[in-house]
Amino acid sequence: MASWKDIRVLSKKDMDKRIARFSKLKGSDGGLPDSPLPECKRTLYAVIGFQPPKKGNKATTSPVGDNAAMTPAIAIAEGFNLGYAKAKPGCGPLMHNHDTNETFIPMTGRWRCSWIDEKGQVDYVDAGPFDVVSFPAGCARRFENITEGDPNEEAILMFVIGGDGPRAEFTDESMKELADAGVWPKAKNPGA
């Protein structure tokens, strides 16, 4: 394609590859370092993008985990990624950062979006449906479902992450918490 101004024509078959029905999405626990912790239990849906990232260190992974990054519903590399997190109240990931922007948009329920402020303290903003919270690259952040009511009712948060193969990395404090809980590093031979 010479220019974005040149109209691109797509067949129905090609367009069908760019459609993801929520009811047909396959979720994953992410296989992330914090996935074994009960307070971090969530289902992640890789909808658009999420090419596997270049690895950094042991704490570096895809924002949706390595398994989900291999099977996004719409496997494109066009400069951004979109996914959903579904979690019960009190659940969300540990503090982490990304090498690109990450934007949260609650679809249902209420979500607390936290970050490390200039004093090294955790600050937060609570967001409801269709509010938007955008974190720049390198800002340690996390989200948590804080919806009141039925403790078993999951809420949904959409996230949009820049780049084609974004990387996530848990903070040193999060990795220490995982080590103290005995879930990281992963055991090489769990049954041995």
Side-chain angles (χ1 to χ4, degrees), residues 16-99:
D16 284 345
K17 295 175 189 172
R18 299 177 72 92
I19 298 169
R21 305 281 182 198
F22 187 80
S23 63
K24 295 187 178 180
L25 294 176
K26 299 204 180 335
S28 168
D29 74 354
L32 294 161
D34 65 349
S35 294
L37 297 179
E39 67 273 19
C40 296
K41 186 171 172 54
R42 63 210 181 268
T43 304
L44 299 172
Y45 300 88
V47 182
I48 297 176
F50 291 111
Q51 307 306 313
K54 294 176 186 159
K55 288 292 186 179
N57 59 41
K58 287 192 255 182
T60 301
T61 183
S62 167
V64 292
D66 292 338
N67 294 342
M70 300 293 236
T71 58
I74 301 173
I76 61 173
E78 295 180 358
F80 76 101
N81 304 270
L82 182 141
Y84 294 107
K86 189 161 53 167
K88 293 180 181 178
C91 293
L94 294 179
M95 196 65 74
H96 63 282
N97 65 21
H98 293 276
D99 63 342

